[in-house]
């Protein structure tokens, strides 16, 4: 529900019943969109925060325990190619930094755009842009501003430029302050309602379109956890988002933030020096996934020993390559095809079972 209004108890109950009828338990909500007025401290911020609090209370009344959200301005997760051909014959999601710069600099042409790129980046982007046909421009524009399933609003070029103008003068410090204000309002309500909030990191974890992104690094998470400093103010640990940046040590981050990780997205990316990346196999890519999984399993054991009711971390094998007979099927959201994610689940479960067996063998 993207207009910022509160979720109704009856609607939540109906969804919970539908999940239960399938033999499952609804534990995690991903996501409750944060209205733009909250992010920019707009004139209607108080009303939208009030509705967000009402939604949290309603979820709590239905026994939902975990709420994932993000604080990315204007666009959510962003890619430039939804069908990047892999050697396996499958397709992956890809963010090409040169394609993105070419669109930003020479198609969108937002004000002061050259300030956000080096001379070398501008030259590479101009070369790429000159190779594009009109069909190429249409394709990449559709993906970037009008097509991704995670996008809150669908834009044409003029509408997108107007959305960016809403953030004119909003610095990273301003966005951090607005996030802190929001958290200080909603975290006490979540705590009272038995809800664990878990912010999702930026994807990708760096500025796009000159907009600030403030949930990208370990330092960002420390700042978020400090305001307010309580268990209900937690993290969705997404290995794919954090893993794009070489300066994020994912195993160290798990160990540092473990007590307040409430939800886990396990996916892998292959990163390139210029900021480009694509979705890799779950056990491939730039992240040492087995090491991350083992660190998370150790946190589960620590919680068990501590007697925490939330010892079992909810996880999903996030994103997946388009494989086998999912290729060509209609109505498959990019990144969310069944076979690719089942393959990822099988790989991750293999790591978990193997690690558990090794721990048992070493303990006897």
């Amino acid at each position: 529900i993207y207009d910022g209004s509160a979720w109704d108890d009856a609607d939540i109950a109906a969804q919970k019943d539908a999940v239960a009828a399938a033999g499952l338990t609804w534990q995690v909500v991903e996501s409750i969109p944060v209205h733009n007025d909250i992010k920019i401290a707009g004139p209607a911020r108080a009303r939208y925060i009030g509705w967000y609090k009402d939604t949290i209370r309603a979820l709590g009344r239905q026994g939902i325990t975990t709420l994932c959200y993000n604080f990315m301005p204007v666009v959510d997760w962003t890619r430039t190619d939804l069908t990047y051909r892999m050697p396996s014959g499958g397709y992956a999601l890809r963010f090409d930094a040169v394609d993105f710069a070419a669109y930003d600099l020479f198609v969108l042409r937002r004000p002061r755009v050259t300030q956000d790129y080096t001379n070398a980046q501008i030259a590479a982007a101009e070369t790429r842009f000159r190779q594009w046909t009109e069909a190429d421009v249409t394709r990449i524009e559709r993906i970037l501003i009008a097509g991704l399933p995670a996008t809150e609003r669908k834009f044409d070029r003029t509408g997108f430029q107007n959305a960016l103008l809403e953030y004119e003068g909003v610095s990273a410090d301003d966005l951090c302050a607005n996030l802190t204000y929001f958290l200080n309002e909603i975290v006490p309500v979540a705590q009272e309602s038995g809800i664990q909030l878990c912010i999702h990191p930026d994807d990708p974890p760096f500025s796009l379109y000159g907009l600030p992104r403030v949930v990208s690094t370990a330092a960002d998470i420390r700042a978020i956890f400090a305001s307010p400093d309580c268990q209900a103010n937690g993290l969705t640990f997404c290995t794919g988002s954090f893993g794009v940046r070489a300066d994020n040590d994912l195993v160290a981050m798990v160990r540092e933030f473990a007590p307040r990780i409430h939800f886990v997205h396990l996916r892998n990316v292959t990163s390139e020096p210029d900021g480009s990346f694509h979705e890799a196999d779950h056990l491939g890519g730039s992240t040492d996934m087995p090491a991350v999984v083992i660190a998370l399993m150790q946190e589960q054991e620590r919680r068990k020993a501590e007697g925490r009711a939330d010892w079992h971390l909810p996880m999903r094998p996030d994103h997946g390559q388009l494989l086998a007979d999912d290729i060509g099927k209609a109505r498959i959201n990019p990144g969310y095809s069944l076979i690719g994610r089942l393959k990822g689940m099988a790989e991750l479960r293999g790591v978990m079972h193997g690690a558990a067996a090794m721990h048992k063998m070493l303990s006897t």
Side-chain angles (χ1 to χ4, degrees):
I1 300 176
Y2 287 120
D3 65 3
S5 58
W7 286 18
D8 180 74
D9 281 77
D11 290 340
I12 297 169
Q15 183 67 27
K16 184 180 177 183
D17 290 345
V19 171
L24 303 172
T25 301
W26 188 14
Q27 181 179 353
V28 181
V29 174
E30 183 185 354
S31 299
I32 309 292
V34 179
H35 193 273
N36 197 54
D37 262 32
I38 297 173
K39 297 174 185 176
I40 64 172
R45 171 169 69 171
R47 180 177 70 208
Y48 289 114
I49 290 177
W51 282 341
Y52 210 96
K53 291 176 181 177
D54 290 342
T55 297
I56 291 171
R57 293 186 184 102
L59 290 167
R61 286 192 291 269
Q62 294 297 327
I64 310 301
T65 60
T66 308
L67 194 168
C68 174
Y69 67 102
N70 75 68
F71 215 73
M72 288 179 269
V74 183
V75 291
D76 201 300
W77 63 267
T78 300
R79 302 292 186 271
T80 59
D81 190 346
L82 306 182
T83 52
Y84 178 64
R85 183 79 174 193
M86 299 297 293
S88 65
Y91 298 89
L93 304 178
R94 175 171 169 80
F95 179 87
D96 187 298
V98 179
D99 279 351
F100 181 85
Y103 175 78
D104 195 19
L105 285 157
F106 300 108
V107 180
L108 190 62
R109 300 186 183 210
R110 57 184 174 82
R112 299 177 296 281
V113 63
T114 56
Q115 296 176 6
D116 296 322
Y117 298 95
T118 65
N119 289 337
Q121 288 172 322
I122 293 170
E126 184 171 11
T127 299
R128 181 68 54 84
F129 173 69
R130 293 186 184 283
Q131 295 169 350
W132 283 352
T133 64
E134 191 59 39
D136 291 325
V137 172
T138 299
R139 175 188 59 81
I140 199 165
E141 185 163 62
R142 185 177 66 249
I143 293 169
L144 285 172
I145 70 173
L148 282 180
T151 304
E152 180 175 328
R153 294 179 282 177
K154 309 297 183 188
F155 298 103
D156 59 19
R157 196 178 303 170
T158 300
F160 189 68
Q161 290 166 332
N162 290 336
L164 295 179
L165 287 174
E166 295 175 7
Y167 283 81
E168 190 75 22
V170 177
S171 67
D173 287 344
D174 294 331
L175 191 62
C176 283
N178 296 340
L179 174 56
T180 297
Y181 183 93
F182 176 58
L183 289 173
N184 280 314
E185 288 286 318
I186 67 167
V187 168
V189 175
Q191 217 166 5
E192 292 166 7
S193 303
I195 300 274
Q196 306 275 44
L197 298 172
C198 44
I199 194 165
H200 189 287
D202 303 321
D203 183 10
F206 46 75
S207 173
L208 299 176
Y209 306 109
L211 297 169
R213 288 194 158 196
V214 297
V215 194
S216 297
T217 66
D220 293 337
I221 304 306
R222 290 184 200 110
I224 290 165
F225 281 4
S227 301
D229 185 2
C230 70
Q231 189 64 27
N233 180 19
L235 174 66
T236 297
F237 195 86
C238 178
T239 54
S241 295
F242 286 133
V244 167
R245 294 180 64 120
D247 57 344
N248 281 336
D249 182 334
L250 270 62
V251 174
M253 290 173 73
V254 168
R255 289 177 176 150
E256 179 178 355
F257 303 128
R260 281 160 71 174
I261 294 173
H262 302 320
F263 185 29
V264 179
H265 289 183
L266 296 177
R267 63 183 177 89
N268 219 327
V269 295
T270 296
S271 299
E272 301 166 29
D274 69 352
S276 301
F277 61 90
H278 67 265
E279 306 279 352
D281 292 334
H282 284 71
L283 298 186
S286 302
T287 294
D288 184 348
M289 187 64 76
V292 172
V293 169
I294 289 169
L296 289 164
M297 292 174 69
Q298 289 170 339
E299 169 59 13
Q300 288 195 146
E301 291 304 309
R302 189 196 67 78
R303 292 186 186 190
K304 248 195 217 179
E306 200 177 76
R308 278 178 57 167
D310 65 340
W311 70 267
H312 190 264
L313 283 165
M315 174 276 286
R316 68 182 181 88
D318 196 16
H319 293 188
Q321 295 179 5
L322 189 64
L323 301 170
D325 69 353
D326 273 348
I327 297 172
K329 285 183 179 176
R331 302 179 68 182
I332 291 179
N333 283 336
Y336 296 98
S337 58
L338 177 64
I339 294 171
R341 287 187 295 157
L342 283 175
K343 176 177 177 288
M345 175 69 88
E347 293 172 348
L348 294 167
R349 284 171 60 85
V351 170
M352 293 172 194
H353 284 283
M358 181 64 70
H359 177 73
K360 183 178 180 181
M361 183 178 72
L362 294 174
S363 300
T364 56

